[in-house]
Amino acid sequence: MDFRNKPLRNVAFAFLFMTSLGYAAQDKQQADYRDYQNAPEHVKTFYKTQHANQTYDFASKKLSQYGQLNHGTYSIWETLELLNKMVDESDPDLELPQIQHALQTAEAIRQDGQPDWLVLVGLIHDLGKMLAFWGEPQWAVVGDTFPLGCQFSDKIIFSETFKDNPDSKNPNYNSKLGVYSKFPQNIGLKNVIMSWGHDEYLYQVIKEQSSLPDAAKFIVRFHSFYALHKEGAYQYLLDEQDKTLVPWLEVFRKYDLYSKSAKTVDVAQVKPYYVALIKKYFPKEKLQW
Ligand SMILES: [Fe+2]
Ligand SMILES: [Fe+2]
């Protein structure tokens, strides 16, 4: 397995750093999650860097680069195990390895009797974090996502830090509709360039390699777009199909956030159920990444 040294070192560092903070998600009330004003300094620094660097040009280039899916061939379960080495620096609520976040989310959905495709979304939704293994910095992998090529909403967390983003001074990009103004209003999210990260990457991977329903693919693609599904911003970019799918983001958010717990899932015990579920919606065992 070819792990480039730098990302692995970063991942190991992030893990040690967050463990030493002792920022446990255990026994939290719902209001305590995503408390960014009282977030650790490294989370604030993360967003300052992300907001300065995620430009329309950057995200467009990453989309065409990774859209080629030429970074290797892996099964879903293999990527889950690879991500077990990673902790998300942008997340103030989680210090467990990613496989536990995946399984905790999926198990919470399963226990609520939701459709099996939603359970599978719980399992796979963060697998786009494989970007870290391909050498991408954390700010191009994790964190909330937002539209590019148009005005930054003040509903985005730490929106004041967009002053460091060159797009905020570019008249092509800083009006309400920006590059989308040449299209009729309500262009639809499928035509919007979002900040580059694990959501869009995994969507590129699964869009033609799985038989998951549109709602599942929409959740994968936009689950980190909190300004939309939590704050209601950017309604003017949504088309009719988006409007019918946004409620799924709200459903999913509950599981993605509130299933985070220090109590771990027994991987060996649940694995057979998930291997069968993956098989149902992914015709080929190995996917192009
Ligand atoms: Fe995510
Ligand atoms: Fe997640």
Side-chain angles (χ1 to χ4, degrees):
M1 206 63 55
D2 173 27
F3 287 149
R4 296 172 205 183
N5 290 335
K6 196 156 156 262
L8 256 192
R9 208 167 52 232
N10 290 347
V11 165
F13 176 73
F15 180 77
L16 289 171
F17 184 47
M18 296 203 62
T19 307
S20 70
L21 285 171
Y23 201 78
Q26 214 172 2
D27 300 320
K28 278 190 172 195
Q29 302 296 311
Q30 291 202 358
D32 296 334
Y33 286 90
R34 285 181 60 86
D35 177 4
Y36 285 104
Q37 292 320 315
N38 295 307
E41 237 6 80
H42 74 274
V43 174
K44 294 179 183 173
T45 306
F46 166 87
Y47 275 107
K48 191 172 159 47
T49 312
Q50 189 207 43
H51 290 177
N53 287 291
Q54 287 275 0
T55 62
Y56 182 77
D57 284 356
F58 172 80
S60 304
K61 282 183 187 140
K62 288 293 166 191
L63 180 58
S64 49
Q65 178 189 340
Y66 282 99
Q68 294 173 40
L69 303 182
N70 59 2
H71 285 81
T73 310
Y74 301 91
S75 72
I76 294 285
W77 201 267
E78 280 173 332
T79 56
L80 274 168
E81 287 179 338
L82 288 173
L83 285 175
N84 211 16
K85 297 181 178 70
M86 182 190 171
V87 171
D88 181 339
E89 265 179 45
S90 73
D91 190 339
D93 301 317
L94 188 71
E95 61 174 33
L96 285 172
Q98 291 289 314
I99 195 167
Q100 282 297 328
H101 172 55
L103 286 169
Q104 286 177 347
T105 308
E107 285 289 282
I109 295 168
R110 186 181 170 195
Q111 277 154 29
D112 270 2
Q114 298 279 11
D116 67 354
W117 61 260
L118 192 62
V119 178
L120 185 53
V121 171
L123 185 77
I124 68 170
H125 73 283
D126 280 340
L127 292 182
K129 292 179 184 177
M130 286 298 287
L131 286 169
F133 287 104
W134 315 143
E136 295 298 334
Q138 287 258 326
W139 60 262
V141 179
V142 296
D144 288 10
T145 59
F146 39 84
L148 292 164
C150 60
Q151 200 171 66
F152 297 113
S153 165
D154 62 6
K155 302 283 192 211
I156 302 168
I157 48 161
F158 303 122
S159 62
E160 67 283 359
T161 59
F162 283 115
K163 67 178 181 347
D164 300 328
N165 187 309
D167 286 3
S168 69
K169 296 172 191 80
N170 185 330
N172 294 326
Y173 301 147
N174 67 6
S175 64
K176 181 181 169 188
L177 288 173
V179 296
Y180 312 111
S181 58
K182 47 185 181 290
F183 300 93
Q185 190 121 348
N186 295 44
I187 180 172
L189 290 180
K190 60 178 153 319
N191 298 310
V192 168
I193 296 286
M194 296 293 291
S195 56
W196 179 254
H198 69 279
D199 296 47
E200 181 67 38
Y201 178 44
L202 185 63
Y203 171 73
Q204 293 298 319
V205 173
I206 68 165
K207 67 176 181 183
E208 281 160 15
Q209 298 188 86
S210 94
S211 60
L212 281 162
D214 287 347
K217 292 174 182 171
F218 189 83
I219 296 169
V220 163
R221 197 176 194 180
F222 299 112
H223 70 272
S224 304
F225 189 5
Y226 276 79
L228 169 71
H229 62 76
K230 187 153 183 284
E231 307 297 337
Y234 293 108
Q235 295 297 317
Y236 44 84
L237 295 178
L238 307 185
D239 64 15
E240 289 311 308
Q241 192 197 18
D242 295 332
K243 286 176 194 164
T244 65
L245 294 176
V246 167
W248 280 111
L249 296 176
E250 295 163 9
V251 169
F252 184 75
R253 181 177 73 227
K254 189 179 82 173
Y255 297 109
D256 193 10
L257 282 180
Y258 305 137
S259 65
K260 289 172 186 172
S261 155
K263 191 169 169 287
T264 56
V265 177
D266 181 341
V267 179
Q269 201 206 320
V270 298
K271 186 175 174 183
Y273 166 80
Y274 286 105
V275 168
L277 185 58
I278 292 165
K279 210 171 175 185
K280 179 173 172 186
Y281 288 103
F282 287 91
K284 286 191 181 156
E285 193 208 341
K286 301 266 187 181
L287 311 189
Q288 293 296 130
W289 289 81

